[in-house]
Amino acid sequence: DTGVSQNPRHKITKRGQNVTFRCDPISEHNRLYWYRQTLGQGPEFLTYFQNEAQLEKSRLLSDRFSAERPKGSFSTLEIQRTEQGDSAMYLCASSLRAGAVGDTQYFGPGTRLTVL
Amino acid sequence: GQNIDQPTEMTATEGAIVQINCTYQTSGFNGLFWYQQHAGEAPTFLSYNVLDGLEEKGRFSSFLSRSKGYSYLLLKELQMKDSASYLCAVYSNSGYALNFGKGTSLLVTP
């Protein structure tokens, strides 16, 4: 399997609990992105890694959210003290910057979070 | 900021041609993407335009006019499986993240 994978695919949790999602990018891709998507909306950017360095964070990424990519391969996204407003599809994407424009991002299947 | 506008919904008949428009406003332009997203699935890449003109790829074509801040996705010989949401996206000012429109939900009917 050469695509982006995400685990778990679905997560149901109670308000106030912590959750962690994992993303495994396409193996040779050095760029990794997290997005959030709610029903009827396009994906919204959360954060971006180049190798292990987190280079950009959206203002949507409150202090309850943290993302890591410790070895420049897989990444985790943790949400602490979940709120009902955190319910969404969390999408991971990866890309390989080849030095030219058009750095295509390839998306994983997403983790659907439901906060009760 | 950036503003990306697409029609919310469109309906077309199997075998027909449909054009999905996208307008954008951005301070710096580094390219425009079209993605297809079936319900409950991940967005899949369709096309990328950075220069003006038409890019053709099988049944799908994408057009860009940078001076007008305008793009369209043209789908020919529509099939039932083309029923999906079509997302237009441009690079953010940082050049890394993509800013997406809300998507156009296309329904193909028999």
Side-chain angles (χ1 to χ4, degrees):
Chain A
D1 184 7
T2 58
V4 178
S5 62
Q6 293 186 245
N7 288 288
R9 295 292 307 277
H10 302 274
K11 179 69 177 179
I12 300 174
T13 190
K14 293 181 179 179
R15 188 177 52 188
Q17 297 294 306
N18 299 343
V19 294
T20 300
F21 310 142
R22 177 179 170 125
C23 170
D24 288 89
I26 294 171
S27 59
E28 65 269 26
H29 285 188
N30 59 351
R31 295 185 165 189
L32 187 147
Y33 313 78
W34 285 99
Y35 292 83
R36 181 174 69 184
Q37 186 176 26
T38 54
L39 195 63
Q41 303 293 318
E44 297 174 294
F45 170 73
L46 293 178
T47 190
Y48 156 70
F49 290 86
Q50 183 164 321
N51 298 311
E52 65 275 9
Q54 189 174 20
L55 297 185
E56 187 178 355
K57 292 196 293 185
S58 162
R59 57 181 169 77
L60 293 176
L61 211 68
S62 75
D63 56 4
R64 296 185 298 105
F65 287 69
S66 63
E68 294 182 343
R69 195 183 183 197
K71 298 182 180 179
S73 57
F74 74 91
S75 175
T76 58
L77 177 68
E78 180 183 17
I79 309 174
Q80 296 181 328
R81 306 180 303 282
T82 53
E83 301 173 356
Q84 289 185 326
D86 296 332
S87 295
M89 175 75 87
Y90 288 83
L91 294 164
C92 176
S94 70
S95 69
L96 175 64
R97 181 72 177 184
V101 295
D103 184 25
T104 301
Q105 296 181 23
Y106 296 92
F107 285 82
T111 295
R112 181 168 296 282
L113 173 66
T114 302
V115 182
L116 302 175
Chain B
Q2 298 183 320
N3 194 28
I4 301 168
D5 288 317
Q6 308 178 230
T8 302
E9 296 179 339
M10 297 184 72
T11 302
T13 305
E14 190 175 16
I17 299 172
V18 71
Q19 177 176 312
I20 302 174
N21 296 325
C22 171
T23 58
Y24 63 89
Q25 294 174 325
T26 180
S27 56
F29 180 77
N30 291 301
L32 184 144
F33 291 83
W34 283 97
Y35 282 82
Q36 180 192 60
Q37 186 175 29
H38 286 100
E41 298 183 10
T44 56
F45 169 74
L46 290 178
S47 68
Y48 169 74
N49 294 71
V50 67
L51 300 177
D52 291 349
L54 187 67
E55 295 278 344
E56 297 187 76
K57 192 186 295 185
R59 293 190 299 116
F60 292 5
S61 302
S62 56
F63 171 83
L64 176 68
S65 169
R66 289 172 295 171
S67 63
K68 296 181 179 178
Y70 167 69
S71 173
Y72 68 73
L73 181 69
L74 193 70
L75 291 75
K76 303 176 184 176
E77 302 170 11
L78 280 172
Q79 302 175 8
M80 299 297 289
K81 66 178 182 180
D82 296 331
S83 292
S85 180
Y86 291 85
L87 299 161
C88 173
V90 296
Y91 279 115
S92 69
N93 292 334
S94 71
Y96 302 130
L98 289 177
N99 286 332
F100 285 85
K102 293 184 177 182
T104 299
S105 180
L106 173 66
L107 177 63
V108 180
T109 60

